[in-house]
Amino acid sequence: MRAYLPDYSFHRAKTLTEAFSQLEAGAKPFAGGTDIMVLLDAGALPPDNYFDILAIKELQGIRSTKKALSLGALTTYSEIRNHKLIQSNFPILCASAREVGAIAIQNRGTIGGNIANSSPAADLPPGLLVYEAQINLISKRGLRTLDYTKFHLGYKKNELQKDELIHSITLKPEFQKHHHFWRKVGSRRSQAISKTMIAALAKVNRKRIEDIRIALGSVAPTAVRCLEVETFLKGKILSPSTILEAKKILSRDLHPIDDIRSTGKYRLIVSQNMLEEFLCGIG
Amino acid sequence: MTWVGKSALRKEGDSKLRGQAKYIDDISLSGMMHGITVRSPIARGLLKKIEYLPGVNWDEFITVTAKDIPGNNYVALIKKDQPYLVDEKINHPEEPILLLAHSNKHILEKARSLIKFHIESLPPVFTLEEAIKQDPIIWGTNNTFKSYAIDRGDVESAFKDAHILLEGTYETGAQEQLYIEPNGVIAIANEKEGVTIWGSMQCPYYVHKALVPLFNLPPEKIRVVQAETGGGFGGKEEYPSVISGHAALLSWKAKRPVKIIYDRMEDMVATTKRHPSKTRIKTAFDKNHKLIALDIDFTIDGGAYATLSSVVLSRGTLHASGPYFSSNIKIRSRALATNTPPHGAFRGFGAPQSLFAIEKHMEFCARELKLDPVKFRKLNFIKHGEILGCGQLVKEKIKLNSVVEKALIESDFHKKRKAFVKTNKNSPIKKGIGLAVFMHGAGFTGSGETFLASIAAVKATPEGKIEILTSNTEIGQGTNTIFSQMAADALNIDFSDIEVVQPDTAHVPNSGPTVASRTCMIVGKLVEQASKDLKQKLISAQLLKEKYTRKEFISACKKYIKEIGELKGSSQYKAPSHIVWDEQKYQGDAYGTYAWAAYVAETSTDTRTFETTVDKFWAVQEVGKVINPLLAKGQIIGGVAQGIGYALYEEVIWKEGRMANNKMSNYIMPTTLDVPEIEVHFLELPYSYGGGGSKGLGELPLDGPSPAILNAMEHALKITLRQIPMTPEKLMAQMEEINK
């Protein structure tokens, strides 16, 4: 490990009240640590004060009512992939949780941590975007709710204020009649960080697209909902030329870059091809 | 019963399974300090000053720079160009400049961040092209560590007479060995006791040789002990000399034991990798498609220092013409200097690079000539009584055609080759099947074994057990087990009667390095002969008859020790008379024998994502007598997995001469989900000069997969691919190029 541990402080907050006072003192929350520990090991995590929120009951667990499903910020990837209601109503979330790191990471990593870290390569955000999730943030000031689409502001930037924690994610199970499509392209079949990934939903009635939602990850500073393509495709009957046009429009929503994992060009072309794969599958 | 040919269980398997085996980081000595290496941030320059910034109490630290070296500041191997610590000139990123030790290993990380090097930078060389231009010259007079020239027949006039000429250029990338256990050692060094090293390593006597000049001590004052070692793949052939020297220098100054263990990131960024290569091949064929001239230009990137590059180059050069015959051959090869960390030994040692080139080229020629790739290869295969590219007359019987036939039958090659063309038409996933045929010479090259003159010994204990004494290390490949099998058979006793002594230069003879499959083939033979020598002593002392039982043998040993004294047998290598090598012309019997192999890969490429997966793999090889079928099969399977990584996944990304992706999350090694079922088949033609009749086999699975896989992809995609690793990004670029 390339870090000198005595330069870091680490506390455990057992209640939200304790967590709020930690935030007030400028400490940083730790919700599983699967991103933070990588940085710490590499000596790339600046010495600071951290507090563990894993023991806070209000932020744990999945709660369901008839109208909605609420995923506490501390819900792990394993809990997501094993949950019956998520499997039947939000299969993309299960599929994407299954492709995060390895089992040990899935047992440890949390949806709140994944979202708060705001990496464009995070696996859950594209699914949350197409399911039009809502995100609930909590602070001493109370609870506030945002459309998840509004949460991410840029590379590693989000709506979370200094005194706030992610409380939960709310999902409405209204996609039983939709096609659900997920594909992640990583550098290998497991233990891979994505190069590009697509989450997509579509409801087709007599070959005509009634509803369509498309989101991609790893191809822009944040996961992106591809509204231009959606608008273009809504109401259309799919044909080879429509698909070709959709692929062209898609490139306007994406801003892929060259980095250590792939090239911008590869990300763009493969994203277009995955859109085509999705559209061919619903037509 | 005989033990050779049986899947005897690993000698050390029980203690490894129970977690009782002691790897170097499991060992702690009283008063031990921890050491770290502070390295150069840039590729080339002059070190002007080392500044120790405030933030820690520097008085608590042991610091070692080049000025503290008691002897000579070079890593003794082949040349004396590589310093242990930078004196003034920096020649690659991550070059060791300063060593720090402290009893608290965590505070060392803080100290590391408080070291500031003042460096005047110099223009670096990063590519083979820049090295050839000699602007600037960074090593010797022309940036060239070594070059070879092989000429036979008249290539120029054959090219004039040719029916057709075909040319291609092939490239291979660097590859990281990725042994499970990173490099690590513990040293005790002081003027009174000399230097003792315990460490994870392949070659204790290499470390021994390197420490003698570093400390200017007589050889008997240096002792090197191999700890249980978690894999090497060549990566622990020469590098342990560096880390051992560092730990010993710290210990010498601290007057306390010092442990250095690299973490994965340091091991990846700072230690050796497989040499990247570039090969241009020109071939001439007559109108019957017989190869009549072969012109090969083979270049490898050696990194900043000579290390083993000349030997890697030699093996690559001698394998460059593959298993094909041509009466006119011209080979030019060179190892060049660049300002990257030195490249080094890695399973296959130059041959995977040049064999990739020739096998890709033969596939390309078959396609250009519109011939079946199998028929075309068979037409040009080397035959008994013909001369290999290196000038070696094939005197032994060879089963090359049988090996190929077996691979074709097991994989259903011809049927699939036709079927995939049809099924590919309407699918975004294109399937292909490809073949690679090759050979690999085991043991040291040319007169190398004669020069090594290895010695192995066996010794009886007062309890009547037999101990094997060699410097050849168990690094996961089965040394302990196969030696025990061979000795048990040579002495006609039980496998359980044999113990293999931990390699320790104070107790074992120098039987040479654990490389190039020489452990089984060369040293195995010495173990057999030493066993016979011991047996003969018992017979001469009239304690044993020519025919005896195990019980009689054990009691004879006990009696001998009681009545006469130490009972030891030994054997020293002498070259078989059939091996003749001309070092000047670089021609002749490059290797005592060759293993021959045919590998087939079946692949799927998703044309939407450009990802290729290997769906099934067949590895067929003739390796002499198989000593331990289970271990042999395991070694082939593991090697093919490593070869799949080399072909498709493992890409070292260089930035300013430094590996930028030095983590297992971004240096992409295939996982179990990326590796298919691998079928292994052996054909056996026992080699009478090899231990138990063996030839080498460990390198084959690094030679064959990359050309077989790329040949399969070419079959699927109908394009020519000439470089590895063939990542999806590169494949996409190639496919775009063709669609233009």
Side-chain angles (χ1 to χ4, degrees):
Chain A
M1 190 167 54
R2 290 279 166 116
Y4 181 55
L5 279 180
D7 284 349
Y8 298 78
S9 84
F10 194 78
H11 294 280
R12 166 162 282 198
K14 291 193 189 97
T15 62
L16 276 175
T17 319
E18 280 175 43
F20 295 145
S21 54
Q22 285 286 347
L23 283 173
E24 215 160 57
K28 298 203 165 75
F30 178 99
T34 56
D35 286 301
I36 287 177
M37 293 307 285
V38 174
L39 295 175
L40 182 77
D41 188 53
L45 186 73
D48 210 331
N49 303 321
Y50 290 86
F51 67 103
D52 182 0
I53 60 171
L54 286 176
I56 300 174
K57 289 245 158 41
E58 289 95 321
L59 307 181
Q60 296 169 349
I62 300 169
R63 293 172 184 86
S64 65
T65 63
K66 257 189 190 167
K67 283 185 186 163
L69 207 58
S70 165
L71 279 59
L74 298 175
T75 306
T76 64
Y77 300 106
S78 295
E79 288 176 272
I80 292 171
R81 62 179 282 195
N82 294 324
H83 198 275
K84 288 277 176 312
L85 285 176
I86 303 181
Q87 284 166 1
S88 53
N89 290 291
F90 310 101
I92 292 172
L93 295 181
C94 295
S96 50
R98 191 180 297 127
E99 289 190 55
V100 175
I103 301 283
I105 299 291
Q106 293 170 14
N107 288 340
R108 180 83 192 170
T110 59
I111 188 169
N114 194 236
I115 293 169
N117 189 48
S118 288
S119 158
D123 292 301
L124 294 177
L128 295 174
L129 285 175
V130 295
Y131 290 131
E132 294 192 343
Q134 289 190 310
I135 184 164
N136 309 302
L137 309 177
I138 192 158
S139 69
K140 259 181 167 171
R141 296 172 285 136
L143 199 66
R144 66 175 176 130
T145 299
L146 281 176
D147 284 345
Y148 182 64
T149 47
K150 301 214 169 74
F151 182 73
H152 294 289
L153 302 174
Y155 180 75
K156 300 256 173 183
K157 281 188 194 139
N158 57 48
E159 265 291 338
L160 209 54
Q161 300 302 303
K162 277 188 178 161
D163 62 344
E164 280 180 318
L165 290 172
I166 296 174
H167 176 273
S168 57
I169 291 285
T170 309
L171 291 159
K172 293 195 178 116
E174 50 199 23
F175 307 102
Q176 277 85 353
K177 289 182 180 159
H178 283 69
H179 293 270
H180 300 246
F181 181 81
W182 162 256
R183 186 162 182 187
K184 166 173 163 174
V185 176
S187 44
R188 58 188 161 200
R189 284 193 184 168
S190 72
Q191 308 252 34
I193 299 168
S194 64
K195 294 174 180 177
T196 170
M197 56 195 153
I198 183 170
L201 288 178
K203 197 157 111 190
V204 182
N205 193 359
R206 291 185 198 157
K207 298 213 163 184
R208 196 173 295 280
I209 297 176
E210 276 187 2
D211 183 27
I212 190 157
R213 295 130 187 252
I214 300 159
L216 283 100
S218 277
V219 285
T222 68
V224 282
R225 180 85 185 262
C226 306
L227 295 171
E228 272 201 68
V229 185
E230 291 178 13
T231 311
F232 167 75
L233 286 168
K234 215 165 276 180
K236 291 224 164 47
I237 292 178
L238 286 172
S239 69
S241 65
T242 320
I243 292 174
L244 198 66
E245 188 60 25
K247 283 171 75 175
K248 270 187 204 158
I249 296 169
L250 181 71
S251 66
R252 291 183 219 148
D253 282 325
L254 311 185
H255 307 280
I257 56 161
D258 291 353
D259 66 9
I260 205 155
R261 283 193 290 277
S262 190
T263 63
K265 198 169 176 188
Y266 176 84
R267 289 181 157 110
L268 174 62
I269 290 176
V270 173
S271 300
Q272 289 173 323
N273 290 347
M274 291 193 306
L275 174 66
E276 180 175 4
E277 187 185 348
F278 163 61
L279 294 175
C280 289
I282 61 168
Chain B
M1 78 177 273
T2 54
W3 284 94
V4 166
K6 299 231 160 43
S7 294
L9 292 180
R10 277 182 180 280
K11 275 279 173 185
E12 74 292 350
D14 190 85
S15 70
K16 280 183 177 168
L17 275 174
R18 290 176 200 279
Q20 290 162 344
K22 293 257 184 258
Y23 293 84
I24 192 66
D25 208 15
D26 297 324
I27 299 168
S28 190
L29 303 178
S30 91
M32 188 176 81
M33 301 178 87
H34 297 273
I36 60 163
T37 316
V38 194
R39 301 168 177 280
S40 168
I42 70 158
R44 188 161 174 257
L46 298 172
L47 177 68
K48 293 295 174 192
K49 195 182 144 197
I50 301 174
E51 197 179 344
Y52 300 83
L53 301 175
V56 292
N57 181 1
W58 286 107
D59 294 339
E60 292 174 0
F61 290 82
I62 302 294
T63 60
V64 167
T65 66
K67 289 176 187 63
D68 295 299
I69 292 175
N72 302 284
N73 187 11
Y74 62 80
V75 186
L77 188 61
I78 294 173
K79 294 233 187 317
K80 296 177 179 175
D81 59 331
Q82 183 181 17
Y84 267 100
L85 291 168
V86 166
D87 187 8
E88 190 191 10
K89 281 185 193 158
I90 292 167
N91 283 310
H92 64 81
E94 307 296 330
E95 184 160 13
I97 296 176
L98 171 72
L99 305 168
L100 294 176
H102 195 282
S103 47
N104 174 351
K105 78 172 173 187
H106 300 293
I107 202 158
L108 283 162
E109 290 307 328
K110 182 159 185 151
R112 187 201 295 275
S113 67
L114 298 171
I115 297 290
K116 195 177 167 192
F117 296 127
H118 295 258
I119 299 167
E120 182 187 316
S121 67
L122 289 171
V125 162
F126 292 133
T127 64
L128 291 174
E129 288 70 26
E130 288 166 9
I132 289 167
K133 267 192 220 151
Q134 297 180 23
D135 181 26
I137 291 173
I138 58 159
W139 194 91
T141 54
N142 57 1
N143 290 344
T144 307
F145 294 124
K146 185 78 182 175
S147 59
Y148 293 107
I150 290 178
D151 291 283
R152 219 174 44 255
D154 185 350
V155 167
E156 298 311 318
S157 58
F159 274 116
K160 275 180 207 143
D161 300 338
H163 174 65
I164 188 163
L165 300 177
L166 290 166
E167 184 176 343
T169 300
Y170 306 88
E171 288 178 54
T172 64
Q175 187 185 16
E176 164 61 34
Q177 292 89 352
L178 275 178
Y179 24 71
I180 295 177
E181 180 205 25
N183 276 285
V185 298
I186 295 173
I188 295 181
N190 54 61
E191 280 178 55
K192 191 165 153 261
E193 296 166 287
V195 179
T196 303
I197 298 287
W198 291 265
S200 178
M201 63 181 73
Q202 292 177 226
C203 313
Y205 274 98
Y206 275 11
V207 176
H208 188 271
K209 178 185 166 177
L211 295 179
V212 169
L214 178 64
F215 287 91
N216 255 340
L217 285 172
E220 65 274 14
K221 293 287 261 186
I222 309 279
R223 179 183 165 203
V224 182
V225 188
Q226 184 224 4
E228 199 74 70
T229 297
F233 308 113
K236 292 174 189 164
E237 177 173 349
E238 74 276 31
Y239 197 83
S241 298
V242 177
I243 184 173
S244 297
H246 289 163
L249 288 169
L250 281 169
S251 175
W252 187 266
K253 194 162 175 186
K255 300 183 168 54
R256 285 164 66 178
V258 172
K259 179 193 263 188
I260 300 182
I261 306 280
Y262 289 170
D263 64 12
R264 181 64 67 186
M265 285 186 292
E266 181 172 21
D267 202 294
M268 289 177 86
V269 83
T271 76
T272 57
K273 303 194 180 4
R274 187 186 297 288
H275 291 69
S277 78
K278 192 169 184 174
T279 311
R280 183 189 47 73
I281 304 182
K282 278 199 307 200
T283 42
F285 296 92
D286 68 13
K287 58 179 189 301
N288 300 317
H289 310 119
K290 278 284 275 182
L291 179 63
I292 55 166
L294 189 53
D295 178 346
I296 300 175
D297 187 283
F298 176 56
T299 309
I300 62 172
D301 178 347
Y305 295 109
T307 63
L308 293 167
S309 288
S310 58
V311 201
V312 171
L313 181 71
S314 156
R315 186 172 282 274
T317 305
L318 296 168
H319 283 78
S321 61
Y324 303 103
F325 174 71
S326 170
S327 42
N328 303 295
I329 287 191
K330 175 181 170 188
I331 303 175
R332 295 290 176 271
S333 67
R334 67 200 67 78
L336 301 178
T338 60
N339 294 112
T340 58
H343 295 297
F346 190 163
R347 201 173 188 177
F349 209 72
Q353 291 92 318
S354 63
L355 286 169
F356 169 77
I358 188 73
E359 268 307 89
K360 286 303 305 141
H361 187 71
M362 291 305 268
E363 186 79 7
F364 164 71
C365 293
R367 205 166 40 252
E368 288 295 304
L369 296 166
K370 298 193 167 48
L371 295 172
D372 173 74
V374 179
K375 274 189 200 152
F376 171 69
R377 279 186 174 82
K378 281 185 174 173
L379 181 69
N380 288 296
F381 275 159
I382 189 90
K383 291 176 197 70
H384 179 84
E386 286 181 341
I387 294 174
L388 279 164
C390 59
Q392 179 161 7
L393 176 70
V394 179
K395 289 171 246 179
E396 304 173 285
K397 201 176 143 198
I398 56 173
K399 277 192 175 175
L400 189 51
N401 279 310
S402 316
V403 166
V404 173
E405 277 315 310
K406 179 82 177 162
L408 297 175
I409 290 166
E410 293 297 334
S411 63
D412 208 1
F413 187 85
H414 290 296
K415 198 173 147 200
K416 282 181 183 162
R417 210 158 161 96
K418 272 188 203 144
F420 291 160
V421 175
K422 277 187 201 158
T423 51
N424 281 345
K425 270 183 192 148
N426 298 312
S427 172
I429 294 173
K430 311 288 184 197
K431 286 195 58 103
I433 189 162
L435 169 76
V437 185
F438 54 99
M439 78 297 185
H440 198 102
F444 264 32
T445 298
S447 42
E449 289 295 343
T450 305
F451 179 72
L452 277 176
S454 296
I455 300 171
V458 296
K459 191 180 161 189
T461 68
E463 295 76 37
K465 294 255 179 195
I466 294 296
E467 291 181 339
I468 295 175
L469 301 158
T470 77
S471 62
N472 291 92
T473 50
E474 171 65 56
I475 53 171
Q477 86 286 40
T479 301
N480 293 344
T481 312
I482 57 164
F483 278 178
S484 300
Q485 288 177 270
M486 291 176 194
D489 282 1
L491 295 169
N492 196 23
I493 53 175
D494 195 68
F495 180 70
S496 64
D497 297 329
I498 318 282
E499 294 297 331
V500 179
V501 170
Q502 180 181 37
D504 175 341
T505 58
H507 300 299
V508 301
N510 187 352
S511 58
T514 302
V515 302
S517 285
R518 63 182 298 283
T519 301
C520 185
M521 186 175 100
I522 303 282
V523 186
K525 189 74 183 175
L526 297 178
V527 167
E528 285 177 351
Q529 286 167 352
S531 302
K532 285 175 187 161
D533 182 41
L534 181 143
K535 183 168 81 181
Q536 201 52 49
K537 283 186 178 159
L538 290 173
I539 293 169
S540 303
Q542 297 189 324
L543 293 171
L544 201 65
K545 294 192 184 107
E546 288 288 343
K547 279 200 169 174
Y548 56 88
T549 65
R550 174 177 170 240
K551 258 190 175 165
E552 286 165 353
F553 178 84
I554 293 169
S555 57
C557 287
K558 287 180 183 170
K559 212 168 174 191
Y560 189 104
I561 293 169
K562 220 174 185 178
E563 292 173 6
I564 303 171
E566 187 185 68
L567 175 57
K568 209 170 171 179
S570 71
S571 176
Q572 182 160 28
Y573 179 84
K574 279 191 194 74
S577 57
H578 75 274
I579 300 179
V580 182
W581 174 252
D582 184 337
E583 187 70 32
Q584 290 305 309
K585 288 187 186 152
Y586 226 69
Q587 289 271 293
D589 297 312
Y591 301 97
T593 189
Y594 293 85
W596 305 86
Y599 281 14
V600 173
E602 186 181 319
T603 60
S604 293
T605 302
D606 187 331
T607 53
R608 297 165 299 201
T609 63
F610 310 95
E611 294 168 298
T612 299
T613 47
V614 182
D615 300 325
K616 179 111 199 238
F617 201 93
W618 295 264
V620 181
Q621 47 260 306
E622 187 278 292
V623 294
K625 176 74 184 166
V626 177
I627 306 302
N628 185 314
L630 187 64
L631 288 180
K633 187 180 170 188
Q635 202 167 128
I636 298 292
I637 290 175
V640 168
Q642 206 165 26
I644 289 171
Y646 189 39
L648 294 175
Y649 298 93
E650 297 183 32
E651 181 173 34
V652 175
I653 297 166
W654 298 103
K655 289 214 170 118
E656 303 286 308
R658 184 180 186 275
M659 182 187 197
N661 53 334
N662 59 324
K663 295 181 194 169
M664 292 186 76
S665 60
N666 52 25
Y667 177 79
I668 306 302
M669 168 193 219
T671 66
T672 46
L673 291 186
D674 304 293
V675 175
E677 184 190 349
I678 297 160
E679 257 187 41
V680 181
H681 299 277
F682 293 111
L683 275 72
E684 294 182 304
L685 260 182
Y687 173 56
S688 53
Y689 299 95
S694 64
K695 301 176 176 179
L697 70 81
E699 294 75 16
L700 298 169
L702 259 297
D703 293 331
S706 50
I709 290 165
L710 265 69
N711 288 345
M713 291 168 74
E714 290 188 351
H715 171 233
L717 303 167
K718 302 188 175 93
I719 60 172
T720 300
L721 302 170
R722 301 184 198 267
Q723 65 175 144
I724 51 168
M726 186 46 67
T727 59
E729 285 78 4
K730 282 192 212 152
L731 181 63
M732 185 186 86
Q734 295 262 325
M735 287 172 74
E736 274 197 331
E737 189 76 17
I738 282 154
N739 290 335
K740 261 179 200 168

